[in-house]
Amino acid sequence: MLIQFDRTYVQDFRNQMIKAMPIMKNYGGQCLGIGEELIPDEGTWQRNKAMAVFEFSDAKQAQMWIDSDPGLHQPDFMHGADILLVPAKRRGMSNCWMQVMDVQLAKEHLEYFDKKYAMEHLRTLEQAGGSQLIASAHSLKVRGLWDADTGVLVCNQFPRAQDYRDWYCGDAYQQVKGVRADLGLCRVVSFQLTPLCHTCCKKKK
């Protein structure tokens, strides 16, 4: 699950989610972290946004947690937050460099996208030390203006920002990127994902 919101409210969001952690755990969920500064790498992405990444055991549990939290249903929650439910491929990392790709595709291009782009994208990604958290054409908008259900949403993780830059700007991926550019429009943003509760993480260590 992704929640995008006005970065002015990062501390308020952090405090609210820390309070919600016990109930969230009852639904098999956790907040992997928050990206406080989004860096647009491609296309148009609002710079005044922050993004939080969550994981749940399944979509039903995520929806049940959303339904149980009254704050998420307030019209002015974080000054108009976007909430997307997206199926994940693996467990996420809580301290990493994250990339989010919002690829707008016509339905007739999805099969070609999978065969000609997605496989090569994943190959170059893993060779560069990255991993793919999300690659789905089945996003569900819970609230907000972010419509990611008209294409494919991809989230990649890297241990460090430099690992990501070396991959994204490298020759191997740039060749693959050309295939994607021929299929549809794409917005790309990246950010440092930091743990929700720094104090909690220090105690665990």
Side-chain angles (χ1 to χ4, degrees), residues 5-19 34 36 50 78 196-198:
F5 58 96
D6 190 321
R7 62 181 295 188
T8 307
Y9 298 89
V10 164
Q11 193 56 52
D12 290 340
F13 182 88
R14 189 183 299 277
N15 292 340
Q16 185 168 329
M17 291 302 109
I18 289 174
K19 290 179 181 177
I34 302 174
E36 298 186 17
M78 299 299 148
L196 177 67
C197 180
H198 300 291

PDB file of all heavy atoms in Angstrom, residues 5-19 34 36 50 78 196-198:
ATOM      1  N   PHE A   5       1.215  12.105   0.285  1.00  0.00           N
ATOM      2  CA  PHE A   5       0.591  13.226   0.986  1.00  0.00           C
ATOM      3  C   PHE A   5       1.498  14.443   0.966  1.00  0.00           C
ATOM      4  O   PHE A   5       2.676  14.359   0.589  1.00  0.00           O
ATOM      5  CB  PHE A   5       0.251  12.835   2.433  1.00  0.00           C
ATOM      6  CG  PHE A   5       1.435  12.386   3.250  1.00  0.00           C
ATOM      7  CD1 PHE A   5       2.097  13.271   4.082  1.00  0.00           C
ATOM      8  CD2 PHE A   5       1.901  11.074   3.172  1.00  0.00           C
ATOM      9  CE1 PHE A   5       3.195  12.866   4.829  1.00  0.00           C
ATOM     10  CE2 PHE A   5       2.999  10.658   3.917  1.00  0.00           C
ATOM     11  CZ  PHE A   5       3.654  11.560   4.746  1.00  0.00           C
ATOM     12  N   ASP A   6       0.955  15.578   1.376  1.00  0.00           N
ATOM     13  CA  ASP A   6       1.695  16.833   1.433  1.00  0.00           C
ATOM     14  C   ASP A   6       2.847  16.698   2.435  1.00  0.00           C
ATOM     15  O   ASP A   6       2.635  16.376   3.598  1.00  0.00           O
ATOM     16  CB  ASP A   6       0.744  17.954   1.859  1.00  0.00           C
ATOM     17  CG  ASP A   6       1.350  19.339   1.728  1.00  0.00           C
ATOM     18  OD1 ASP A   6       2.545  19.506   2.034  1.00  0.00           O
ATOM     19  OD2 ASP A   6       0.621  20.271   1.339  1.00  0.00           O
ATOM     20  N   ARG A   7       4.080  16.957   1.985  1.00  0.00           N
ATOM     21  CA  ARG A   7       5.247  16.741   2.836  1.00  0.00           C
ATOM     22  C   ARG A   7       5.287  17.680   4.048  1.00  0.00           C
ATOM     23  O   ARG A   7       6.023  17.424   5.007  1.00  0.00           O
ATOM     24  CB  ARG A   7       6.538  16.900   2.031  1.00  0.00           C
ATOM     25  CG  ARG A   7       6.755  18.269   1.438  1.00  0.00           C
ATOM     26  CD  ARG A   7       8.026  18.335   0.649  1.00  0.00           C
ATOM     27  NE  ARG A   7       9.204  18.145   1.488  1.00  0.00           N
ATOM     28  CZ  ARG A   7      10.449  18.320   1.044  1.00  0.00           C
ATOM     29  NH1 ARG A   7      10.682  18.633  -0.217  1.00  0.00           N
ATOM     30  NH2 ARG A   7      11.468  18.168   1.864  1.00  0.00           N
ATOM     31  N   THR A   8       4.474  18.751   4.017  1.00  0.00           N
ATOM     32  CA  THR A   8       4.381  19.638   5.175  1.00  0.00           C
ATOM     33  C   THR A   8       3.896  18.880   6.404  1.00  0.00           C
ATOM     34  O   THR A   8       4.181  19.271   7.544  1.00  0.00           O
ATOM     35  CB  THR A   8       3.415  20.811   4.876  1.00  0.00           C
ATOM     36  OG1 THR A   8       3.813  21.445   3.657  1.00  0.00           O
ATOM     37  CG2 THR A   8       3.424  21.831   5.998  1.00  0.00           C
ATOM     38  N   TYR A   9       3.174  17.784   6.177  1.00  0.00           N
ATOM     39  CA  TYR A   9       2.551  17.045   7.270  1.00  0.00           C
ATOM     40  C   TYR A   9       3.315  15.771   7.634  1.00  0.00           C
ATOM     41  O   TYR A   9       2.749  14.871   8.260  1.00  0.00           O
ATOM     42  CB  TYR A   9       1.110  16.691   6.899  1.00  0.00           C
ATOM     43  CG  TYR A   9       0.242  17.903   6.674  1.00  0.00           C
ATOM     44  CD1 TYR A   9       0.146  18.489   5.417  1.00  0.00           C
ATOM     45  CD2 TYR A   9      -0.467  18.476   7.726  1.00  0.00           C
ATOM     46  CE1 TYR A   9      -0.647  19.612   5.206  1.00  0.00           C
ATOM     47  CE2 TYR A   9      -1.254  19.598   7.525  1.00  0.00           C
ATOM     48  CZ  TYR A   9      -1.332  20.162   6.264  1.00  0.00           C
ATOM     49  OH  TYR A   9      -2.104  21.279   6.054  1.00  0.00           O
ATOM     50  N   VAL A  10       4.581  15.679   7.280  1.00  0.00           N
ATOM     51  CA  VAL A  10       5.354  14.464   7.537  1.00  0.00           C
ATOM     52  C   VAL A  10       5.371  14.096   9.018  1.00  0.00           C
ATOM     53  O   VAL A  10       5.124  12.941   9.388  1.00  0.00           O
ATOM     54  CB  VAL A  10       6.799  14.607   7.009  1.00  0.00           C
ATOM     55  CG1 VAL A  10       7.703  13.536   7.615  1.00  0.00           C
ATOM     56  CG2 VAL A  10       6.821  14.483   5.492  1.00  0.00           C
ATOM     57  N   GLN A  11       5.647  15.056   9.888  1.00  0.00           N
ATOM     58  CA  GLN A  11       5.725  14.732  11.307  1.00  0.00           C
ATOM     59  C   GLN A  11       4.362  14.341  11.869  1.00  0.00           C
ATOM     60  O   GLN A  11       4.264  13.414  12.679  1.00  0.00           O
ATOM     61  CB  GLN A  11       6.297  15.906  12.111  1.00  0.00           C
ATOM     62  CG  GLN A  11       6.690  15.541  13.534  1.00  0.00           C
ATOM     63  CD  GLN A  11       7.682  14.387  13.601  1.00  0.00           C
ATOM     64  OE1 GLN A  11       8.728  14.406  12.945  1.00  0.00           O
ATOM     65  NE2 GLN A  11       7.358  13.362  14.384  1.00  0.00           N
ATOM     66  N   ASP A  12       3.315  15.035  11.437  1.00  0.00           N
ATOM     67  CA  ASP A  12       1.960  14.663  11.864  1.00  0.00           C
ATOM     68  C   ASP A  12       1.626  13.243  11.410  1.00  0.00           C
ATOM     69  O   ASP A  12       1.048  12.454  12.162  1.00  0.00           O
ATOM     70  CB  ASP A  12       0.928  15.643  11.300  1.00  0.00           C
ATOM     71  CG  ASP A  12       1.012  17.023  11.927  1.00  0.00           C
ATOM     72  OD1 ASP A  12       1.591  17.124  13.029  1.00  0.00           O
ATOM     73  OD2 ASP A  12       0.510  17.976  11.315  1.00  0.00           O
ATOM     74  N   PHE A  13       1.984  12.934  10.166  1.00  0.00           N
ATOM     75  CA  PHE A  13       1.721  11.599   9.631  1.00  0.00           C
ATOM     76  C   PHE A  13       2.500  10.549  10.416  1.00  0.00           C
ATOM     77  O   PHE A  13       1.951   9.507  10.798  1.00  0.00           O
ATOM     78  CB  PHE A  13       2.118  11.551   8.153  1.00  0.00           C
ATOM     79  CG  PHE A  13       1.838  10.234   7.487  1.00  0.00           C
ATOM     80  CD1 PHE A  13       0.609   9.977   6.910  1.00  0.00           C
ATOM     81  CD2 PHE A  13       2.816   9.245   7.448  1.00  0.00           C
ATOM     82  CE1 PHE A  13       0.350   8.750   6.300  1.00  0.00           C
ATOM     83  CE2 PHE A  13       2.565   8.032   6.845  1.00  0.00           C
ATOM     84  CZ  PHE A  13       1.337   7.783   6.272  1.00  0.00           C
ATOM     85  N   ARG A  14       3.765  10.837  10.681  1.00  0.00           N
ATOM     86  CA  ARG A  14       4.605   9.902  11.421  1.00  0.00           C
ATOM     87  C   ARG A  14       4.009   9.618  12.804  1.00  0.00           C
ATOM     88  O   ARG A  14       3.888   8.468  13.227  1.00  0.00           O
ATOM     89  CB  ARG A  14       6.022  10.465  11.558  1.00  0.00           C
ATOM     90  CG  ARG A  14       7.024   9.476  12.128  1.00  0.00           C
ATOM     91  CD  ARG A  14       8.389  10.132  12.307  1.00  0.00           C
ATOM     92  NE  ARG A  14       8.928  10.604  11.053  1.00  0.00           N
ATOM     93  CZ  ARG A  14       9.576   9.852  10.187  1.00  0.00           C
ATOM     94  NH1 ARG A  14       9.768   8.570  10.446  1.00  0.00           N
ATOM     95  NH2 ARG A  14      10.044  10.358   9.064  1.00  0.00           N
ATOM     96  N   ASN A  15       3.615  10.686  13.501  1.00  0.00           N
ATOM     97  CA  ASN A  15       3.045  10.520  14.838  1.00  0.00           C
ATOM     98  C   ASN A  15       1.755   9.707  14.802  1.00  0.00           C
ATOM     99  O   ASN A  15       1.517   8.842  15.659  1.00  0.00           O
ATOM    100  CB  ASN A  15       2.765  11.887  15.472  1.00  0.00           C
ATOM    101  CG  ASN A  15       4.043  12.657  15.785  1.00  0.00           C
ATOM    102  OD1 ASN A  15       5.119  12.070  15.888  1.00  0.00           O
ATOM    103  ND2 ASN A  15       3.935  13.966  15.923  1.00  0.00           N
ATOM    104  N   GLN A  16       0.917   9.978  13.789  1.00  0.00           N
ATOM    105  CA  GLN A  16      -0.356   9.274  13.684  1.00  0.00           C
ATOM    106  C   GLN A  16      -0.144   7.789  13.390  1.00  0.00           C
ATOM    107  O   GLN A  16      -0.827   6.930  13.950  1.00  0.00           O
ATOM    108  CB  GLN A  16      -1.219   9.910  12.588  1.00  0.00           C
ATOM    109  CG  GLN A  16      -2.613   9.314  12.489  1.00  0.00           C
ATOM    110  CD  GLN A  16      -3.542  10.146  11.607  1.00  0.00           C
ATOM    111  OE1 GLN A  16      -3.409  11.368  11.519  1.00  0.00           O
ATOM    112  NE2 GLN A  16      -4.466   9.489  10.942  1.00  0.00           N
ATOM    113  N   MET A  17       0.823   7.479  12.527  1.00  0.00           N
ATOM    114  CA  MET A  17       1.077   6.084  12.177  1.00  0.00           C
ATOM    115  C   MET A  17       1.738   5.317  13.332  1.00  0.00           C
ATOM    116  O   MET A  17       1.489   4.125  13.521  1.00  0.00           O
ATOM    117  CB  MET A  17       1.941   5.992  10.928  1.00  0.00           C
ATOM    118  CG  MET A  17       1.238   6.445   9.653  1.00  0.00           C
ATOM    119  SD  MET A  17      -0.291   5.525   9.296  1.00  0.00           S
ATOM    120  CE  MET A  17      -1.545   6.793   9.631  1.00  0.00           C
ATOM    121  N   ILE A  18       2.576   5.996  14.117  1.00  0.00           N
ATOM    122  CA  ILE A  18       3.175   5.337  15.279  1.00  0.00           C
ATOM    123  C   ILE A  18       2.082   4.941  16.270  1.00  0.00           C
ATOM    124  O   ILE A  18       2.096   3.838  16.841  1.00  0.00           O
ATOM    125  CB  ILE A  18       4.224   6.253  15.944  1.00  0.00           C
ATOM    126  CG1 ILE A  18       5.462   6.364  15.046  1.00  0.00           C
ATOM    127  CG2 ILE A  18       4.618   5.730  17.327  1.00  0.00           C
ATOM    128  CD1 ILE A  18       6.501   7.353  15.526  1.00  0.00           C
ATOM    129  N   LYS A  19       1.119   5.816  16.464  1.00  0.00           N
ATOM    130  CA  LYS A  19      -0.005   5.505  17.349  1.00  0.00           C
ATOM    131  C   LYS A  19      -0.843   4.346  16.792  1.00  0.00           C
ATOM    132  O   LYS A  19      -1.416   3.563  17.545  1.00  0.00           O
ATOM    133  CB  LYS A  19      -0.893   6.734  17.532  1.00  0.00           C
ATOM    134  CG  LYS A  19      -0.263   7.850  18.352  1.00  0.00           C
ATOM    135  CD  LYS A  19      -1.206   9.040  18.467  1.00  0.00           C
ATOM    136  CE  LYS A  19      -0.574  10.178  19.259  1.00  0.00           C
ATOM    137  NZ  LYS A  19      -1.468  11.366  19.324  1.00  0.00           N
ATOM    138  N   ILE A  34       8.926   6.043   5.350  1.00  0.00           N
ATOM    139  CA  ILE A  34       8.434   7.252   4.701  1.00  0.00           C
ATOM    140  C   ILE A  34       9.538   7.872   3.848  1.00  0.00           C
ATOM    141  O   ILE A  34      10.684   7.966   4.282  1.00  0.00           O
ATOM    142  CB  ILE A  34       7.973   8.296   5.739  1.00  0.00           C
ATOM    143  CG1 ILE A  34       6.873   7.715   6.638  1.00  0.00           C
ATOM    144  CG2 ILE A  34       7.467   9.565   5.055  1.00  0.00           C
ATOM    145  CD1 ILE A  34       6.469   8.648   7.772  1.00  0.00           C
ATOM    146  N   GLU A  36      10.542  11.268   2.638  1.00  0.00           N
ATOM    147  CA  GLU A  36      10.194  12.650   2.966  1.00  0.00           C
ATOM    148  C   GLU A  36      10.496  13.621   1.831  1.00  0.00           C
ATOM    149  O   GLU A  36       9.950  14.722   1.796  1.00  0.00           O
ATOM    150  CB  GLU A  36      10.941  13.087   4.233  1.00  0.00           C
ATOM    151  CG  GLU A  36      10.576  12.267   5.454  1.00  0.00           C
ATOM    152  CD  GLU A  36      11.213  12.793   6.726  1.00  0.00           C
ATOM    153  OE1 GLU A  36      11.673  13.958   6.723  1.00  0.00           O
ATOM    154  OE2 GLU A  36      11.240  12.047   7.724  1.00  0.00           O
ATOM    155  N   ALA A  50       5.248  13.714  -0.045  1.00  0.00           N
ATOM    156  CA  ALA A  50       5.981  12.656   0.644  1.00  0.00           C
ATOM    157  C   ALA A  50       5.232  11.354   0.372  1.00  0.00           C
ATOM    158  O   ALA A  50       4.074  11.375  -0.052  1.00  0.00           O
ATOM    159  CB  ALA A  50       6.063  12.934   2.137  1.00  0.00           C
ATOM    160  N   MET A  78      -4.244  14.721   5.931  1.00  0.00           N
ATOM    161  CA  MET A  78      -2.941  15.113   5.378  1.00  0.00           C
ATOM    162  C   MET A  78      -3.082  16.001   4.141  1.00  0.00           C
ATOM    163  O   MET A  78      -2.350  15.882   3.176  1.00  0.00           O
ATOM    164  CB  MET A  78      -2.098  13.865   5.044  1.00  0.00           C
ATOM    165  CG  MET A  78      -1.815  13.006   6.249  1.00  0.00           C
ATOM    166  SD  MET A  78      -0.881  13.873   7.536  1.00  0.00           S
ATOM    167  CE  MET A  78      -1.511  13.095   9.031  1.00  0.00           C
ATOM    168  N   LEU A 196       9.729   4.282   9.980  1.00  0.00           N
ATOM    169  CA  LEU A 196       8.705   5.114  10.603  1.00  0.00           C
ATOM    170  C   LEU A 196       9.145   5.607  11.967  1.00  0.00           C
ATOM    171  O   LEU A 196       8.983   6.781  12.310  1.00  0.00           O
ATOM    172  CB  LEU A 196       7.401   4.304  10.741  1.00  0.00           C
ATOM    173  CG  LEU A 196       6.236   4.988  11.437  1.00  0.00           C
ATOM    174  CD1 LEU A 196       5.716   6.160  10.616  1.00  0.00           C
ATOM    175  CD2 LEU A 196       5.108   3.992  11.679  1.00  0.00           C
ATOM    176  N   CYS A 197       9.701   4.719  12.754  1.00  0.00           N
ATOM    177  CA  CYS A 197      10.063   5.041  14.137  1.00  0.00           C
ATOM    178  C   CYS A 197      11.547   4.785  14.343  1.00  0.00           C
ATOM    179  O   CYS A 197      11.965   3.644  14.507  1.00  0.00           O
ATOM    180  CB  CYS A 197       9.230   4.195  15.106  1.00  0.00           C
ATOM    181  SG  CYS A 197       9.587   4.511  16.835  1.00  0.00           S
ATOM    182  N   HIS A 198      12.359   5.840  14.302  1.00  0.00           N
ATOM    183  CA  HIS A 198      13.798   5.689  14.456  1.00  0.00           C
ATOM    184  C   HIS A 198      14.140   5.118  15.839  1.00  0.00           C
ATOM    185  O   HIS A 198      15.026   4.307  15.984  1.00  0.00           O
ATOM    186  CB  HIS A 198      14.487   7.050  14.284  1.00  0.00           C
ATOM    187  CG  HIS A 198      14.241   7.667  12.954  1.00  0.00           C
ATOM    188  ND1 HIS A 198      14.769   7.139  11.805  1.00  0.00           N
ATOM    189  CD2 HIS A 198      13.525   8.759  12.588  1.00  0.00           C
ATOM    190  CE1 HIS A 198      14.396   7.875  10.767  1.00  0.00           C
ATOM    191  NE2 HIS A 198      13.631   8.861  11.216  1.00  0.00           N
TER     192      HIS A 198
END
